[in-house]
């Protein structure tokens, strides 16, 4: 029988990197994790810290590795930023029903969709013309998203908005079937590491493979 996972005083888990990856995949709200190999936060044997979002606040630390769910590597996210709309370029702003389907969600009457962030991501990715969206926080209920053909245009500060830009590789041909899951950001938090997690054909088992 598998030994239980032990929490350390910093609310992390004393497990291996592979066990940490499986913990993240088994946790509904986990978007990635940080694995500490050495130093005080490792507690002598290595420690795993799950994150709701692991694609933010990345900086150099050679005692730690950062793993991000592949789902989150689809986007470049600019917090507190408006994007993709200008009075002289109304074509760039996609309108609900006219330019895309809102799925199971409701149009807000201004071209946007009333939906949670994760569902806005799905609505955008389901439309071939969507290059990103502006997400507007609301004080109650769902927020709203406004889809853009090119979300990297007309960017500026906005307190209650976040800009999501689809990364170019997302619209390129699909990767090899079977690849998914957790992308290794590397010890310095930089993109480009050649390690990634792949789920094998046996349900629930993960192996770390070199690509």
């Amino acid at each position: 029988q598998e030994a239980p996972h032990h929490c350390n005083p910093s609310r992390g888990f004393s497990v291996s990197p592979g066990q940490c990856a499986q913990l993240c995949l088994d946790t509904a709200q986990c978007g990635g994790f940080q694995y500490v190999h050495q130093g005080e936060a490792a507690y002598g044997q290595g420690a795993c810290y799950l994150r709701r979002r692991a694609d933010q606040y990345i900086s150099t630390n050679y005692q730690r590795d950062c793993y991000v769910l592949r789902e989150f590597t689809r986007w470049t996210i600019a917090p507190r930023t408006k994007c993709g709309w200008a009075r002289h370029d109304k074509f760039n702003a996609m309108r609900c029903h006219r330019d895309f389907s809102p799925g199971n969600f409701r149009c807000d009457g201004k071209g946007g969709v009333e939906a949670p962030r994760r569902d806005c991501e799905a609505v955008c990715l389901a439309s071939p013309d969507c290059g990103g969206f502006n997400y507007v926080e609301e004080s109650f209920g769902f927020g709203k998203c406004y889809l853009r053909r090119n979300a990297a245009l007309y960017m500026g500060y906005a307190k209650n908005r976040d800009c999501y830009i689809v990364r170019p590789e997302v619209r390129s041909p699909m990767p090899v079937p079977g690849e998914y899951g957790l992308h290794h950001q590397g010890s310095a938090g930089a993109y480009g590491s050649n390690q990634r997690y792949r789920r094998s054909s046996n349900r629930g088992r993960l192996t770390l493979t070199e690509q």
Side-chain angles (χ1 to χ4, degrees), residues 79-90:
R80 297 180 294 281
T81 301
K82 61 183 179 180
C83 61
W85 185 89
R87 292 184 183 277
H88 67 275
D89 187 7
K90 294 184 179 180

Side-chain angles (χ1 to χ4, degrees), residues 26-156:
D26 291 342
T27 303
Q29 296 184 20
C30 182
F33 65 91
Q34 189 171 83
Y35 194 84
V36 184
H37 294 279
Q38 54 185 310
E40 184 178 347
Y43 290 95
Q45 59 186 39
C48 159
Y49 298 91
L50 304 186
R51 304 288 189 241
R52 288 184 174 86
R53 297 296 298 260
D55 61 334
Q56 299 175 334
Y57 316 120
I58 296 175
S59 60
T60 301
N61 188 320
Y62 292 99
Q63 295 180 339
R64 304 174 180 230
D65 285 341
C66 179
Y67 291 81
V68 179
L69 270 175
R70 181 181 297 281
E71 174 181 352
F72 289 101
T73 65
R74 294 172 176 170
W75 307 94
T76 297
I77 303 173
R80 297 180 294 281
T81 301
K82 61 183 179 180
C83 61
W85 185 89
R87 292 184 183 277
H88 67 275
D89 187 7
K90 294 184 179 180
F91 175 76
N92 194 53
M94 300 175 68
R95 294 193 65 83
C96 188
H97 279 315
R98 186 190 72 182
D99 299 317
F100 65 91
S101 169
N104 295 324
F105 295 94
R106 186 172 61 182
C107 297
D108 71 347
K110 299 179 181 179
V113 181
E114 297 177 357
R117 288 176 189 265
R118 298 289 292 274
D119 294 293
C120 284
E121 294 175 7
V123 169
C124 178
L125 293 174
S127 173
D129 293 331
C130 183
F133 61 91
N134 235 174
Y135 191 81
V136 184
E137 290 283 4
E138 297 286 347
S139 57
F140 57 90
F142 290 152
K144 299 177 182 179
C145 54
Y146 296 91
L147 274 59
R148 312 299 193 210
R149 288 182 169 83
N150 184 347
L153 299 174
Y154 320 124
M155 300 177 76

